[in-house]
Amino acid sequence: MATEKDWTHKLATIDPRVIFLLLLISVAAPLLMPFGLPVGISPPTTSTFKFIEGLPSGSLVVSAFDMSAAVAPECYPQVAAFTTHLKNKNLKIIEVAFDSAGPMFADQALRDVFGASKDHPLYGKNFINLGYIAGGEAAMKTFAGNPKVIQKDFYGKDVKDLEIMQPLSSARDFKLLIVISGSQVDNFVRQFGDPHGVPIVGAVTAVLVTRVMPYYPAKVVGYLNGLRGAAEYEQLVKRPGIALAGMDAQSAAHLLVIIFIIVGNVGYIVRKTRRPS
Amino acid sequence: MIGLDARLVGILLSGGLTLMAYSFLYRENRVSRIAEHIYLGAATGYGVVLSAKYVYDNAAVPLAKGNTFWAIPLLSSLLLYFYFSKKHFWLYRLPTAAIIGVGTGIVVAADFRTRLTEQIKATLLPLFVANDPYNTVNNLIIVFGVLGALIFFYFSKELKGPTRTLADFGKYILMVTFGASFGQTFMARISLIIGRVQSLYIWPASILLPLAAVLVGVAIAWDRRKQRTPRVSAGK
Amino acid sequence: MLPFAPGVVHSFILLVISSAVMIVLLYASRKGRVPKIRKLAAIDAIDEAIGRATEMGRPLHFTPGIGDFYGYDAPMTIAGISVLGHVARRVAQYNTPLIVTFAAPEIEPVITDVVKQAYLAAGRPERFNPDSIRFISTRQFAYTAGVVGILHREKVAANLMIGYFAGESIIIAEAGFLAGAIQIGATANTYQIPFFVVACDHVLVSEELYAAGAYLSKDPVQLAAITGQDWVRLIAAAFLVAGCVLATFGISWIADFFKM
Amino acid sequence: MKLKVPLAITIILVLLQVTDYYLKVPVINTVAANFTVAILVMSAIAVGIGIISLTRIHVRRIVKKRPHSLESAIMLITLAIFILVGAVLGSGDPSYIYMFQNIIVPLDSAMFSLAGFFMASAAYRAFRVRSREAMILLVAAVIVMLGQAPIGEAFWSGFPILSQWILDVPNTGGVRALIMGIAIGMLSLTIRMLMGHEKGYLGTGA
């Protein structure tokens, strides 16, 4: 008979805090001492890269920051990677946020990639940070219908005086919409993709990928899958960054959890097979 | 402007708050409670400022410039505040009904298309692809998976016979979906932990790490002394 | 011919048919046709959870999630509030402590109204405690932090999460588990369902959320709406089967209809 | 009156938005667009309700000297600081951004990252081979995890391919069925609302 003190019981009922501690160590250690496992590049990342490569120089691209600060560790490395790509291809970038934290990251991306945001000589000409529009999907609909509905940019400048906004009348003028999101892309497909035919690229958290896939490749032309997608894109734009560094920590953490799942099942199965005897 | 010192203080502050929040993983305690309440105050206050800015920029300014349309939402939303009145409580329902009407209307119209008819359209796959067993099998799994999972939710009666088999297949497909979604999310959440750990490795936040380790050690020793009986395992 | 937006005709036709089917069923039930619905274990478990909190004399926590009244989350919030009405009536009868938390301030008046009316309907208006209705924060994870704190500090016995949830679902559900609460999760946000599946005792999967309020009301007219869901489901399935069979033989009638 | 008027407002606006989506009628499209912006402003104004009741709860807790009143005081002080600084300096001011970056951002990420820890403990506990369903759930989750992290590829190069197949084929089927069902459920709820049977959202408790 299996008793309460039995080893199988112990295996099946490990204190969650032991798991928490080991998980923390498995993430923290490889960040200090990376072991450098190779990262392959997946097709959706390649198609994202190719689509942006194929845009004629000077095309208008909208980066929609529907991201909260909480998903920044996953999404911001993506933003940095593709903003670099947009800059290298000399495309015009309109940054707009549908989450209140978005404008800060939009600003940070400009500073990281261009070296400055609102004080950059090309601000208002090659890129702009329109700031946050409250109201979720309803706001997206309004913006898609008339991007000039926004009166002032994030820094309080009058938007109508800025060169980049002049040719805009509706979302039809956008050559690409990059959705940076940890919540959903369906709303962007509904308000930009379906009614205005704007191609969409998802710079999304790994969670969201299952929700993006039904739209790929018809409405969503490509997507980056969380931190891994960022690590892949960093390789494509030849700008290795924090995403690549994090991949070893990912490997260790995944391995740890799978080991715990196995251990738990060993305890469970042994107890179950013993019981009838 | 913000100088170097402010930057260091910022790193220390955010590192400290991260560790305070993480102390919850050991157990709910005063330190984690303080972090929680700082967070509640800061985040809510920030939300208020952004909402106020939105109303000011997008309604108050246009109204002041003579666009009278904006008086409608501004005034009608004041009815929401009758919520605090005992007598005319119900007046809050008028603006709420408007928000719900518009909010639901937008989503129900678009969703019926995006989530139902577009999905049917995407699933109209041939059940047999000549000389391509791989795609034939995939199509069959998708089509019967969708049908099975749809039927699985059938509310009107318990299913029997072949429809039961189809619904069971649907149930298994749903389980695969849930498992896959869970597996995919895990990487995302680990990314968040990576982000936090990386921020703690930056000097001077790194000096907090040994401090935190000592405090947790003391807390564990304290708890052990207090109750010599074995602690609850696995939660419940 | 109506001036349709491009590519929506098929959807409009199906919307009209589906709505018509549901409306006809509602009218039929008003005339006394009582629809049959199978037992939905996860929804029945709501009453079990209330019973458990009552026995233990500890609070029941209810949250409609972080949703508000517009956009994608609106219907889930509304469905959650509909269940809250039922829950509040029960806890009013049993005098179980109730805590309702939420993240969108505009839903506060509705929630207060629903809970107050429920206490009134149960004949116990004096038992209503205004402190039980708690707006936490508009910000997603600040809300989460607040709820997690409440689950532990107030020793919640039953935790009902019924409405719109996003990334916080696993945090609230696992914190509820660690606090020892019996838990029911319900959301139509598909990619959060797995977290409720692993951490909750019972889960209302996607559309069951929308059926829950009607099911609990036991009102024949509302139950008819659930039957309506089944009819529309069968219509969708019929289109699928016909379309796939035709597609197998290279006939694209149905596919063409969906391009209209 | 107290119910019929709000119900009428809801019905009219739902129908207006549905018509707006399907039909190109300039008058309707313009009116509908104006309403969508108007409700954004209205819900932004509603934030005041939250602040009033939040303050009420915490002040009451402090005044009545209930447990955790120190925490309540901390909450109210931080709340006041964030509102006042934002109101005086504006939300784009460097100091305000500094406060946001160093207080809200780390707490946002720390709180969200708890999900990683909790997924690990939940997976350990729930992924047991108790039934056929549980086994399928477990196997799918583990394969996809191995397909995601580079370590999976290091074990067997097939993991990413198998994981991608799971995501592309069975998962697509499952997700489609779920979201189709949701659209149907949502329609059913809306019809119940419009027919005046589902009144919970008007505060009458279903």
Side-chain angles (χ1 to χ4, degrees):
Chain A
M1 265 316 270
T3 64
E4 287 298 296
K5 298 282 172 198
D6 191 345
W7 61 275
T8 55
H9 181 259
K10 278 187 188 149
L11 287 188
T13 55
I14 296 173
D15 188 325
R17 289 174 297 184
V18 173
I19 303 176
F20 299 156
L21 180 67
L22 291 178
L23 185 66
L24 193 60
I25 294 170
S26 76
V27 170
L31 287 177
L32 287 179
M33 294 163 285
F35 38 90
L37 282 175
V39 181
I41 293 167
S42 64
T45 309
T46 316
S47 52
T48 304
F49 183 78
K50 282 196 178 141
F51 191 89
I52 295 181
E53 274 296 297
L55 288 174
S57 150
S59 304
L60 271 173
V61 177
V62 176
S63 297
F65 288 75
D66 190 20
M67 65 179 282
S68 60
V71 300
E74 258 189 289
C75 288
Y76 187 75
Q78 299 176 335
V79 174
F82 74 69
T83 308
T84 309
H85 194 198
L86 298 178
K87 180 194 170 203
N88 295 346
K89 288 291 300 172
N90 200 21
L91 300 167
K92 296 192 172 178
I93 311 166
I94 297 180
E95 295 180 321
V96 61
F98 296 99
D99 184 287
S100 59
M104 310 277 185
F105 295 104
D107 180 74
Q108 196 182 334
L110 295 180
R111 282 188 280 115
D112 286 354
V113 175
F114 290 90
S117 55
K118 66 176 192 299
D119 304 319
H120 195 283
L122 291 176
Y123 185 85
K125 220 164 124 189
N126 276 20
F127 50 85
I128 185 171
N129 179 2
L130 288 177
Y132 165 59
I133 326 176
E137 184 160 356
M140 290 168 197
K141 186 178 176 187
T142 315
F143 180 74
N146 176 18
K148 286 182 179 163
V149 75
I150 301 179
Q151 325 256 344
K152 284 188 189 326
D153 72 1
F154 178 56
Y155 313 100
K157 287 189 191 170
D158 270 327
V159 164
K160 61 177 187 301
D161 307 332
L162 297 172
E163 187 186 322
I164 192 168
M165 299 298 283
Q166 297 313 318
L168 283 177
S169 60
S170 81
R172 288 197 182 274
D173 300 318
F174 303 151
K175 294 294 170 281
L176 175 66
L177 173 74
I178 301 177
V179 176
I180 305 137
S181 179
S183 50
Q184 55 169 330
V185 292
D186 312 53
N187 42 11
F188 287 94
V189 172
R190 275 196 294 266
Q191 305 304 344
F192 290 84
D194 283 341
H196 300 282
V198 186
I200 294 176
V201 154
V204 296
T205 53
V207 194
L208 210 52
V209 167
T210 35
R211 287 265 297 273
V212 176
M213 276 179 354
Y215 302 114
Y216 171 81
K219 283 167 187 156
V220 172
V221 295
Y223 58 85
L224 304 184
N225 174 358
L227 189 69
R228 171 163 191 151
E232 295 172 6
Y233 216 82
E234 281 178 1
Q235 295 180 78
L236 288 173
V237 296
K238 304 192 172 57
R239 181 187 184 273
I242 50 170
L244 274 167
M247 293 320 286
D248 284 339
Q250 289 287 359
S251 289
H254 279 69
L255 189 62
L256 180 86
V257 169
I258 290 169
I259 291 172
F260 267 113
I261 293 174
I262 294 170
V263 165
N265 277 295
V266 167
Y268 177 79
I269 293 166
V270 172
R271 277 171 78 75
K272 214 177 145 192
T273 46
R274 265 194 206 162
R275 204 164 296 157
S277 60
Chain B
M1 259 316 282
I2 293 151
L4 183 66
D5 292 346
R7 204 182 70 88
L8 295 183
V9 171
I11 293 171
L12 215 50
L13 183 62
S14 59
L17 288 171
T18 300
L19 289 170
M20 284 167 82
Y22 272 9
S23 74
F24 178 83
L25 287 171
Y26 179 62
R27 63 176 163 76
E28 210 265 346
N29 63 79
R30 173 155 270 191
V31 172
S32 72
R33 263 195 318 265
I34 290 174
E36 173 195 329
H37 284 84
I38 291 175
Y39 189 19
L40 287 179
T44 315
Y46 182 72
V48 173
V49 170
L50 285 188
S51 294
K53 182 180 179 331
Y54 183 79
V55 174
Y56 181 80
D57 288 351
N58 293 285
V61 171
L63 180 65
K65 285 186 184 154
N67 189 344
T68 45
F69 168 78
W70 293 104
I72 303 173
L74 284 174
L75 291 176
S76 57
S77 56
L78 293 181
L79 291 176
L80 284 169
Y81 287 79
F82 275 94
Y83 162 58
F84 295 106
S85 145
K86 282 221 159 66
K87 207 166 160 202
H88 303 289
F89 187 81
W90 68 279
L91 281 172
Y92 86 83
R93 284 181 195 153
L94 300 175
T96 304
I99 295 176
I100 292 177
V102 175
T104 318
I106 289 176
V107 74
V108 83
D111 257 23
F112 192 80
R113 178 175 166 217
T114 325
R115 304 187 136 221
L116 185 64
T117 57
E118 292 287 316
Q119 299 304 326
I120 298 178
K121 185 174 159 185
T123 314
L124 297 175
L125 303 167
L127 301 173
F128 177 76
V129 189
N131 303 321
D132 190 348
Y134 177 71
N135 275 318
T136 303
V137 170
N138 285 353
N139 286 358
L140 286 173
I141 292 176
I142 293 181
V143 171
F144 282 97
V146 170
L147 280 173
L150 263 183
I151 295 301
F152 171 71
F153 288 105
Y154 196 74
F155 293 120
S156 298
K157 61 172 192 226
E158 298 290 346
L159 297 169
K160 285 194 188 78
T163 50
R164 177 77 258 169
T165 315
L166 184 60
D168 279 340
F169 181 66
K171 182 169 71 184
Y172 298 142
I173 289 289
L174 286 176
M175 286 301 150
V176 174
T177 307
F178 295 154
S181 179
F182 188 98
Q184 250 207 336
T185 316
F186 189 62
M187 178 165 235
R189 302 303 180 246
I190 295 304
S191 301
L192 301 168
I193 304 178
I194 292 175
R196 284 297 83 206
V197 172
Q198 275 170 337
S199 79
L200 287 169
Y201 280 164
I202 301 170
W203 194 85
S206 47
I207 56 168
L208 296 170
L209 291 173
L211 191 71
V214 170
L215 285 176
V216 171
V218 169
I220 293 173
W222 182 268
D223 282 354
R224 280 276 159 101
R225 271 185 64 139
K226 234 167 56 176
Q227 50 183 117
R228 288 234 167 237
T229 48
R231 286 200 61 86
V232 274
S233 52
K236 269 185 192 172
Chain C
M1 190 65 184
L2 292 164
F4 282 106
V8 298
V9 178
H10 66 283
S11 178
F12 183 77
I13 293 173
L14 283 175
L15 179 64
V16 170
I17 294 175
S18 309
S19 310
V21 167
M22 288 185 180
I23 291 169
V24 166
L25 286 166
L26 286 188
Y27 270 106
S29 68
R30 276 190 195 171
K31 296 230 168 72
R33 188 181 166 279
V34 182
K36 271 200 218 89
I37 305 290
R38 76 180 155 90
K39 256 179 85 67
L40 297 170
I43 306 181
D44 289 327
I46 292 176
D47 283 338
E48 261 172 57
I50 299 172
R52 152 114 185 231
T54 311
E55 271 169 33
M56 300 178 78
R58 280 169 28 196
L60 177 138
H61 171 249
F62 183 99
T63 166
I66 57 164
D68 48 34
F69 280 149
Y70 53 81
Y72 173 65
D73 25 349
M76 292 183 227
T77 311
I78 292 169
I81 290 176
S82 166
V83 176
L84 173 63
H86 170 85
V87 172
R89 256 191 313 260
R90 282 293 159 91
V91 298
Q93 282 164 9
Y94 304 149
N95 201 15
T96 316
L98 172 71
I99 302 170
V100 186
T101 65
F102 48 91
E106 65 260 43
I107 76 175
E108 171 158 349
V110 180
I111 287 189
T112 310
D113 207 354
V114 165
V115 174
K116 255 191 189 164
Q117 302 264 3
Y119 276 81
L120 202 65
R124 295 291 186 174
E126 78 288 352
R127 284 180 179 171
F128 172 72
N129 171 10
D131 274 1
S132 62
I133 311 288
R134 300 187 200 168
F135 162 72
I136 306 281
S137 175
T138 43
R139 200 173 184 85
Q140 184 182 6
F141 289 102
Y143 169 75
T144 312
V147 171
V148 165
I150 287 174
L151 291 174
H152 277 259
R153 282 194 293 276
E154 318 229 355
K155 306 211 164 22
V156 166
N159 180 23
L160 307 188
M161 299 162 280
I162 299 174
Y164 175 70
F165 295 87
E168 72 285 0
S169 61
I170 182 75
I171 305 175
I172 300 181
E174 188 70 2
F177 172 82
L178 294 173
I182 181 171
Q183 307 200 90
I184 298 172
T187 187
N189 193 3
T190 44
Y191 64 104
Q192 297 303 331
I193 299 170
F195 302 122
F196 284 155
V197 170
V198 295
C200 292
D201 301 276
H202 300 277
V203 185
L204 278 67
V205 177
S206 68
E207 60 182 298
E208 291 175 346
L209 166 68
Y210 294 116
Y215 180 85
L216 287 167
S217 75
K218 301 207 164 64
D219 165 17
V221 186
Q222 297 231 42
L223 293 179
I226 302 184
T227 318
Q229 264 169 267
D230 278 345
W231 277 85
V232 177
R233 182 193 321 280
L234 292 177
I235 294 172
F239 268 102
L240 262 180
V241 172
C244 292
V245 170
L246 290 179
T248 311
F249 297 103
I251 306 169
S252 62
W253 295 339
I254 304 251
D256 290 342
F257 168 71
F258 279 98
K259 286 187 189 127
M260 274 165 75
Chain D
M1 168 70 182
K2 288 180 186 178
L3 281 178
K4 283 206 174 120
V5 176
L7 181 62
I9 293 177
T10 308
I11 293 175
I12 291 167
L13 291 175
V14 167
L15 295 178
L16 173 75
Q17 292 297 335
V18 173
T19 318
D20 168 59
Y21 185 84
Y22 283 104
L23 302 182
K24 286 276 161 267
V25 183
V27 187
I28 293 179
N29 299 144
T30 314
V31 175
N34 282 341
F35 265 107
T36 48
V37 186
I39 64 154
L40 300 183
V41 171
M42 290 166 66
S43 39
I45 292 177
V47 90
I49 293 182
I51 298 310
I52 295 173
S53 57
L54 195 63
T55 314
R56 226 167 36 171
I57 289 181
H58 286 273
V59 166
R60 215 177 296 162
R61 199 187 277 171
I62 296 170
V63 171
K64 295 196 175 165
K65 296 208 172 72
R66 291 201 197 129
H68 310 308
S69 43
L70 170 71
E71 285 88 340
S72 288
I74 291 174
M75 204 291 302
L76 289 172
I77 292 167
T78 347
L79 179 70
I81 293 174
F82 267 81
I83 292 178
L84 288 176
V85 175
V88 174
L89 298 177
S91 56
D93 186 87
S95 319
Y96 204 59
I97 295 180
Y98 176 83
M99 283 161 64
F100 174 82
Q101 296 280 16
N102 292 304
I103 295 175
I104 297 180
V105 170
L107 284 168
D108 264 350
S109 332
M111 202 59 215
F112 195 4
S113 70
L114 289 188
F117 295 101
F118 286 171
M119 277 180 80
S121 60
Y124 163 72
R125 190 181 67 240
F127 287 167
R128 301 276 163 90
V129 287
R130 289 193 185 92
S131 60
R132 199 181 296 174
E133 288 88 346
M135 188 140 89
I136 294 173
L137 187 75
L138 182 164
V139 170
V142 170
I143 292 175
V144 173
M145 279 163 88
L146 287 170
Q148 291 265 307
I151 189 110
E153 280 164 78
F155 282 137
W156 177 47
S157 60
F159 276 125
I161 299 163
L162 188 56
S163 148
Q164 198 58 44
W165 179 82
I166 290 181
L167 291 170
D168 287 346
V169 179
N171 174 63
T172 300
V175 171
R176 270 190 198 150
L178 283 174
I179 68 179
M180 285 163 76
I182 289 165
I184 297 170
M186 201 184 270
L187 180 69
S188 151
L189 179 78
T190 313
I191 299 273
R192 258 150 55 205
M193 282 165 64
L194 298 186
M195 302 279 286
H197 289 287
E198 171 57 65
K199 290 189 291 251
Y201 71 98
L202 294 173
T204 59

